[in-house]
Structures are given as structure tokens and as C-alpha cells.
Amino acid sequence: MPRLGCPAPALLVCTLAVLSKMAMSVDHVPMLLWSAQRLQWNPDTALHEGHIVSARELTEILQPVLTQNPRNLILFLQDTLSVDDFTYFSESHGNKNPFPNVQESLQTSPSSLVLPAVDCEATRYLLSFLQKSADWKLTKLTNLSVSHLEVDTSKPNLVVVQLQQLSGFNELSALEAIAENDKTIGRLTMDLQEQGIPFSVIYTALRPSRISRRTDVVWELGRQLMATEEEESLSYPPLNVTTGNASCILFYATNFSLKANNSVFIDLTNVTFVTQNVDVSSSECSDINTVLSLRYTEPVNGISSLEIRFLMSNEFYGGSARNWSTLHLVEIVQDEEKFANFSVSAISAPAEYSFHCQLVGTSNLYPARLIPSNDEAKNWEVFISSLQIQGFNVENNQFSYASDCTGFFTPGIWMGLVTSIILLWILSYGIHMIMQLTTNSRFDDPKGPALSVPQTE
């Protein structure tokens, strides 16, 4: 793999701009690596244009990091990042360079490597792979708690820093968030350098921030009626709450986000399912009632603690002669003093099944709604995509058959039926009007005089 050696000041920009043509796929993210030690990345092996580093190749690339001594690895994990971000948000587009610390680290480190395209499947399982590769002392931090890092050099250290999320922001806010993440990276690496602690850094993301249509599916999508852009597929295990050695609650979503006071956006997807930097110790399990409690520490600036509770019950209904699992209530507790309660509609399933719904939240357009029950709840908006939850009868740490919230008559079916009725009415009206047409009782003879029709007829 090539080691960066661009002599220009804009090291990161010039390197990634040359390789930005590789950003034609929706399933890869960039990965930046540098080390305070001289590693053995092969400078003679070049990445050919368009190559996406697979999980197997990434394992080989990371071997120098995993075999160095001493081993102190810092993983900076962002929710979204694309190779185009380094050029789009650079000075070449009239903006102040938001990556000065990352750029300086790549330029001054004894060893560095830029991978413009790494398969998202590899990055999503990167943390699990690293944890299995050595007996690390694992430390999980957020961008707000970086200053509290203490490193014990007597054993290998793996520090995972969850950077500020970028999704859901406009361009200006995303630029500010990227600049803040760069300061976090610079602050932590500078602190380790001052302490004389050797370390290596991996900076990457879980999914791309800029999605463009893949060249290999353009023709296929072009032939489809009402085709849409290919959606990214997330692949991570569900959140598992256990009692003893048995699982009692499973929870999964592809997007788990909140908005407070119509201004503060909180994306809890990564910290809940990927890094699992969430406290579930307050969850309760029984055969009758189950409570899934998700506690977050400093999820965003201005909120020191946030707890979200899902209250489920298992009851017998004589009409169906079976037990049903029902999600009755969702609670949001901010800073231990602000309580928001939501009643829930249309979230129930047979007790031996799991429940799945594509869209769940406070919007009136969602098939499963969270309805505010008090004044505090009106200050919150909840967005959950591809929700799947099971609070009873969990077996083998896997979801049971899913009962979906979508009924037989979906909005698409109703739209088709209404459209068909309107078209059928137009057709019937047209046929009726055609049947009312009458022909003239007299016709001109081309060989005779012109036909004269008196006005009285």
C-alpha cells in the first residue's frame, strides 16, 4: 500500500482528490491510518483506481498495527464520511479547511496510509474484529469525554472515540461538526504525544455521507418504473438484553433518531447498535411485563443524560385465544427531570412473534405512531426506521417470525385503487359520449349539385 508522500501543504486534499473517482459506489467509505511508530506498510503496492478494499484485505493491512509493540490503538469512528468530503469541504471550494489536524498528522507521522474506498461491511465489523484480535483494555469515549482518557501502557489499549454525528445536518452545520471532530482528533493525539505514549490511529466511518448511483446498476434502475436510488443496507446485530445467560429482549433499527425542541438532532443509531455505548442495566424482564431501558451519557451538547424506555406487556385475549405482546408506552427522560410520555398505536404481535414496522415515530404519516401524552412529549420528535423488537419468548438470541405493522390495504394499494376508479370513470364517460353521437341524415353527391339543408330542418 502506498505511503503518503505528497510534498504539497494540502497533503490530504491532493491525495484524495486524485483518487476521488473511486467514489462511484454507495457501499464504501474512506479510512485514514497513521502511527507514531514506523510500521511496515509496503510502499510499492499501489491501489488501482476503482478498487474497494474488502474485509479480508483490510485484515491484512491492519496486521502491522495489531503486531506492533507496544499496542495502543485509537479508533475514531464517525457516522458518515465520504472521500468527496475532503475535497468538497476544503479550501478549494472557498471554505476554511476543516481537517488541519488530520492533515498534519498524516504529513508528519512516520507512517501513514490512506484507503479511499473500504467496504462498509468491513468497517461495520471493524470494532468486533479488533476486539477479537487481542486482549485489549477497551475504552469507549464520545467527543465530549476525550479529556478524561487515561492510558495504562502495561497492557494493550483500544480506545474507541465516537465522534459527533453528521447525518441530519445542513451543509453549514456539517462543516462545523467536521471541524469539531478534527479538533477532537488533534486534542487527543497531541495529549498522547505529550505523554510520550506510542500509538496508532484509524479514522473512518460506518456509511458514506455522499451517495451517488453505482455504474453497474444505472441500466437496471433506468428500466424500472418509479425506480429510486439504491438504499444502503445496514448490517449489524440487534441490541441484546440478557438475564443471566438467556436473552429476554431484542431491539433493532436502521435509523434511531430524535429531535428536541425542533432544533437539536440526536442520532442514536451508532451508539445503540454499532458501538453499543448504551446502558441497558435498568431493563426489566418477566413473563408479563418487560421494560427496555436505554441510557445515554451526553448524547449531544446540552444534554447530560438521556433515557428511553419501551414498556411492553404480555396479555391473553379470549377473542383470539392466544397471548399478545403489546408496546403500550414509550418514555423519554432528559437529565433525570424532564419526562415525556408517548402512547403507542398499532404495535402488537402474537407473544411468540417479534414485531416489525418500516416506519415508527411521531409523524402522522407513519403506520405505527407515538402519540404525545403530556406537554413535555410535544417537544420531541421520534424517527425509527425498520424497527424490530421482541420482548418475550426470545430463543437462540434471534428474532422470531416477524408480525408486520403493514395491513393488507397499504397506501400504495389505496392509491392504485383510487386511480383505477378514476380512469374507469373517464373511460365510461368517454364511451357514453361516443354512443350519443348521431350521423347526418343526408349526404352530398360529388357528381350532383351541392346539398342544401334548410335551416328549418
Side-chain angles (χ1 to χ4, degrees):
M1 298 295 168
R3 191 174 63 184
L4 295 183
C6 180
L11 172 69
L12 182 61
V13 173
C14 75
T15 301
L16 295 176
V18 172
L19 297 172
S20 62
K21 292 182 180 181
M22 300 172 63
M24 291 299 294
S25 172
V26 300
D27 55 0
H28 68 256
V29 294
M31 179 177 291
L32 283 63
L33 305 95
W34 66 89
S35 177
Q37 307 175 68
R38 189 169 296 279
L39 302 180
Q40 300 301 317
W41 286 314
N42 186 359
D44 298 327
T45 304
L47 286 172
H48 60 272
E49 184 175 336
H51 179 71
I52 298 177
V53 178
S54 65
R56 181 184 59 80
E57 292 172 323
L58 182 61
T59 301
E60 298 176 358
I61 294 172
L62 294 179
Q63 286 306 311
V65 178
L66 304 178
T67 57
Q68 67 180 348
N69 191 18
R71 280 179 293 178
N72 297 304
L73 180 59
I74 316 297
L75 173 60
F76 291 103
L77 200 57
Q78 206 162 270
D79 62 335
T80 60
L81 185 67
S82 291
V83 68
D84 287 342
D85 291 340
F86 295 97
T87 53
Y88 185 82
F89 290 113
S90 66
E91 295 173 328
S92 61
H93 284 265
N95 300 320
K96 183 178 179 181
N97 181 19
F99 299 96
N101 293 296
V102 173
Q103 178 177 308
E104 182 180 0
S105 297
L106 287 170
Q107 187 174 11
T108 59
S109 297
S111 183
S112 59
L113 180 68
V114 171
L115 302 176
V118 178
D119 194 337
C120 286
E121 291 294 327
T123 59
R124 287 168 190 152
Y125 288 101
L126 178 60
L127 180 57
S128 299
F129 165 73
L130 293 175
Q131 288 181 274
K132 296 176 181 178
S133 63
D135 185 19
W136 303 93
K137 176 186 177 184
L138 180 62
T139 304
K140 293 184 178 181
L141 302 173
T142 64
N143 62 309
L144 302 177
S145 58
V146 166
S147 58
H148 305 298
L149 176 63
E150 296 181 0
V151 177
D152 182 7
T153 56
S154 62
K155 58 178 65 177
N157 290 277
L158 174 59
V159 181
V160 180
V161 181
Q162 185 67 47
L163 298 174
Q164 184 176 349
Q165 60 87 23
L166 305 181
S167 58
F169 288 167
N170 57 34
E171 182 177 317
L172 181 60
S173 300
L175 177 63
E176 296 175 352
I178 288 177
E180 187 64 31
N181 289 342
D182 180 80
K183 292 179 182 178
T184 300
I185 295 174
R187 186 165 59 248
L188 179 56
T189 54
M190 182 63 67
D191 183 50
L192 294 176
Q193 289 176 357
E194 292 177 353
Q195 298 180 45
I197 300 176
F199 63 93
S200 299
V201 172
I202 300 176
Y203 175 35
T204 188
L206 298 172
R207 57 184 185 270
S209 59
R210 301 177 183 276
I211 299 178
S212 56
R213 181 172 294 179
R214 290 189 350 194
T215 57
D216 58 345
V217 296
V218 169
W219 173 247
E220 178 183 354
L221 293 180
R223 292 180 298 164
Q224 295 178 2
L225 180 64
M226 299 176 65
T228 58
E229 295 288 340
E230 179 181 342
E231 296 182 357
E232 55 185 312
S233 59
L234 297 180
S235 177
Y236 42 71
L239 182 67
N240 189 352
V241 178
T242 60
T243 55
N245 296 327
S247 298
C248 64
I249 305 175
L250 293 176
F251 176 59
Y252 178 86
T254 57
N255 181 23
F256 184 27
S257 308
L258 309 174
K259 182 179 285 187
N261 300 318
N262 293 323
S263 59
V264 181
F265 184 82
I266 309 172
D267 189 349
L268 302 175
T269 310
N270 297 333
V271 295
T272 304
F273 304 105
V274 181
T275 62
Q276 295 195 355
N277 189 21
V278 56
D279 181 11
V280 296
S281 59
S282 299
S283 301
E284 302 176 2
C285 296
S286 70
D287 295 335
I288 301 177
N289 295 298
T290 294
V291 178
L292 172 60
S293 173
L294 307 174
R295 289 177 175 267
Y296 305 91
T297 302
E298 296 182 344
V300 292
N301 290 324
I303 298 180
S304 59
S305 66
L306 185 67
E307 181 181 6
I308 304 174
R309 302 177 187 144
F310 296 84
L311 284 72
M312 295 171 282
S313 66
N314 180 12
E315 300 180 23
F316 178 82
Y317 290 86
S320 58
R322 70 189 310 173
N323 283 58
W324 285 75
S325 170
T326 305
L327 177 60
H328 290 287
L329 186 66
V330 174
E331 299 177 342
I332 300 177
V333 183
Q334 177 187 345
D335 300 329
E336 304 292 341
E337 58 182 17
K338 298 180 180 180
F339 295 84
N341 297 326
F342 299 85
S343 59
V344 184
S345 68
I347 298 186
S348 61
E352 62 272 18
Y353 293 170
S354 63
F355 174 83
H356 174 269
C357 195
Q358 189 63 30
L359 292 174
V360 177
T362 51
S363 173
N364 294 330
L365 302 177
Y366 291 171
R369 288 194 58 208
L370 304 182
I371 305 171
S373 300
N374 60 0
D375 292 337
E376 184 63 33
K378 298 178 181 178
N379 298 326
W380 290 90
E381 296 179 33
V382 183
F383 315 91
I384 307 178
S385 300
S386 298
L387 168 72
Q388 189 166 3
I389 189 170
Q390 184 172 354
F392 305 94
N393 303 312
V394 178
E395 297 180 358
N396 301 323
N397 298 331
Q398 294 180 347
F399 281 113
S400 302
Y401 176 84
S403 175
D404 202 276
C405 65
T406 303
F408 179 77
F409 284 96
T410 63
I413 293 177
W414 280 114
M415 181 182 298
L417 288 174
V418 172
T419 304
S420 299
I421 292 174
I422 294 175
L423 293 176
L424 183 61
W425 181 84
I426 294 175
L427 177 62
S428 301
Y429 179 77
I431 294 175
H432 173 74
M433 295 301 296
I434 291 175
M435 294 178 65
Q436 300 302 313
L437 293 177
T438 58
T439 59
N440 293 328
S441 60
R442 298 179 183 180
F443 298 93
D444 280 334
D445 184 359
K447 296 182 180 181
L451 178 66
S452 176
V453 179
Q455 297 295 326
T456 58
E457 293 188 12

